[in-house]
Amino acid sequence: MGKFVISKTKNGEFHFNLKAGNGEIILTSETYTQKINCEHGIESVRTNAPNDAHYDRKVATNGKHYFNLKATNGQVIGSSEMYESKQGMETGITAVKNNAPTAPVEEKL
């Protein structure tokens, strides 16, 4: 089972990672100045993760694949790692869809 992990950056801001059951990071957020906004970001991921239309599939200039998860308003709420293949990226999207809606939150502050 996956989990969200909230962490604090060196400059005092907050971000979260969604980790799969094996501990791999499958989605990373932007940074937030306040913890409450980071928590709202997690709720937005939970809400938007099941909807395939909210995934923006991309190819980087180095040819690797990645995706952004967007909220209903089009704002990016999380980004994936880089994948060697399109299939790897699709597996990552499936992992987010399966883990995000019910993943517990852990704080590492």
Side-chain angles (χ1 to χ4, degrees):
M1 181 173 156
K3 64 183 175 183
F4 287 98
V5 179
I6 297 175
S7 302
K8 208 171 191 181
T9 64
K10 290 181 181 179
N11 66 354
E13 295 188 332
F14 300 88
H15 73 97
F16 65 82
N17 289 313
L18 174 59
K19 294 186 174 186
N22 64 4
E24 271 194 53
I25 295 172
I26 52 178
L27 193 74
T28 300
S29 75
E30 64 180 356
T31 56
Y32 300 90
T33 55
Q34 297 181 346
K35 183 180 164 199
I36 189 73
N37 293 335
C38 187
E39 292 167 342
H40 290 303
I42 290 171
E43 290 309 313
S44 184
V45 169
R46 285 187 172 140
T47 300
N48 291 286
N51 188 338
D52 193 68
H54 289 248
Y55 291 88
D56 193 8
R57 293 156 169 89
K58 302 268 196 183
V59 179
T61 55
N62 64 3
K64 293 189 178 189
H65 298 262
Y66 69 101
F67 62 87
N68 292 319
L69 176 60
K70 293 186 173 184
T72 306
N73 65 4
Q75 180 180 355
V76 174
I77 50 177
S79 299
S80 73
E81 65 178 352
M82 295 288 179
Y83 295 94
E84 294 295 328
S85 68
K86 184 177 180 182
Q87 182 55 48
M89 176 189 66
E90 293 298 334
T91 300
I93 290 171
T94 299
V96 173
K97 288 178 179 178
N98 291 339
N99 285 278
T102 59
V105 177
E106 179 180 302
E107 294 182 5
K108 291 203 172 179
L109 306 173

